[in-house]
Amino acid sequence: MLFSITLIALIPVLIGIVFGKIMSDKVRQKEINVAASFPRDVLYFLLKRIIASYIFSFILIILCIWLLKPVPTQGWLRTLYAAILFSVQSPFVLLFIYTTRDKKIAGISLSAFYWIFLIVLPLGLMVHHPWNYFAFFSQFYWIAWAWMIRLPLQSLICGSISLILTSITLSILLKYLKKRHSI
């Protein structure tokens, strides 16, 4: 179960990295530079890529869940909820990669930061109190609990915590983007 959940959490990270690298490619960069004279076109370009990464991630996660059945005790609605929460992570990885397209060191450090979010998922689920507190900063940890926990209200609370952590990460990223004038 732990391996399956970690594998499913890995899907949006890998898709975000792939889509981010594609957007950062020099050929794509020329398209963005041409569209830069029209800021609306740049936002439209980014929005298309974000939606595509979300949809692709969602489809792969659903297929992986169907094949692995990591949490068989939960019904289809809870599984759909977890798939949506996991898929939301893909656009954020994409934005991490895209914002650091010019600076390799910053890109590597931000990617490593997101990999840390993923690595603490199995560690946080394996260790007992109080050591699991070290995983509380990871949205993947809270998504896994939202999926595994039996009570619906607690599941919604864990999912909300995950979305709050994702929003905090996004706000930091948007401040970084505005500071660099990339958006």
Side-chain angles (χ1 to χ4, degrees):
M1 180 168 91
L2 185 64
F3 175 74
S4 301
I5 292 174
T6 306
L7 182 68
I8 290 169
L10 182 64
I11 291 171
V13 173
L14 292 177
I15 289 174
I17 288 172
V18 168
F19 272 75
K21 291 294 183 184
I22 289 171
M23 283 179 57
S24 299
D25 195 17
K26 295 299 178 190
V27 175
R28 297 287 181 198
Q29 194 62 38
K30 289 179 184 176
E31 290 177 14
I32 293 173
N33 289 339
V34 169
S37 57
F38 305 106
R40 186 181 64 175
D41 293 340
V42 174
L43 289 176
Y44 180 69
F45 177 79
L46 283 172
L47 190 61
K48 280 191 330 187
R49 297 297 188 255
I50 287 170
I51 292 171
S53 71
Y54 174 80
I55 291 171
F56 192 63
S57 177
F58 181 77
I59 291 169
L60 285 179
I61 287 172
I62 290 294
L63 287 173
C64 195
I65 288 171
W66 181 67
L67 290 173
L68 296 176
K69 301 193 186 325
V71 188
T73 59
Q74 298 300 338
W76 66 271
L77 191 58
R78 184 77 58 90
T79 301
L80 184 66
Y81 178 60
I84 290 170
L85 288 173
F86 276 125
S87 297
V88 165
Q89 302 305 314
S90 179
F92 297 111
V93 176
L94 181 149
L95 286 173
F96 271 127
I97 301 297
Y98 177 71
T99 55
T100 59
R101 65 191 176 276
D102 299 332
K103 299 179 181 179
K104 289 194 178 213
I105 303 249
I108 291 170
S109 62
L110 283 175
S111 295
F113 185 65
Y114 221 84
W115 280 103
I116 289 171
F117 285 158
L118 185 63
I119 290 170
V120 298
L121 167 67
L123 295 176
L125 294 176
M126 284 190 315
V127 297
H128 295 288
H129 179 74
W131 298 106
N132 64 337
Y133 290 157
F134 291 114
F136 280 11
F137 68 91
S138 171
Q139 53 267 40
F140 293 111
Y141 175 79
W142 292 105
I143 294 170
W145 274 114
W147 194 5
M148 293 184 316
I149 204 157
R150 292 200 183 273
L151 298 174
L153 182 61
Q154 288 180 349
S155 176
L156 287 173
I157 290 170
C158 290
S160 299
I161 291 171
S162 168
L163 289 176
I164 289 169
L165 289 173
T166 303
S167 299
I168 290 170
T169 308
L170 177 65
S171 66
I172 292 169
L173 180 65
L174 287 176
K175 284 181 184 179
Y176 180 74
L177 276 172
K178 285 183 182 181
K179 190 164 110 176
R180 289 191 60 214
H181 304 292
S182 297
I183 192 167

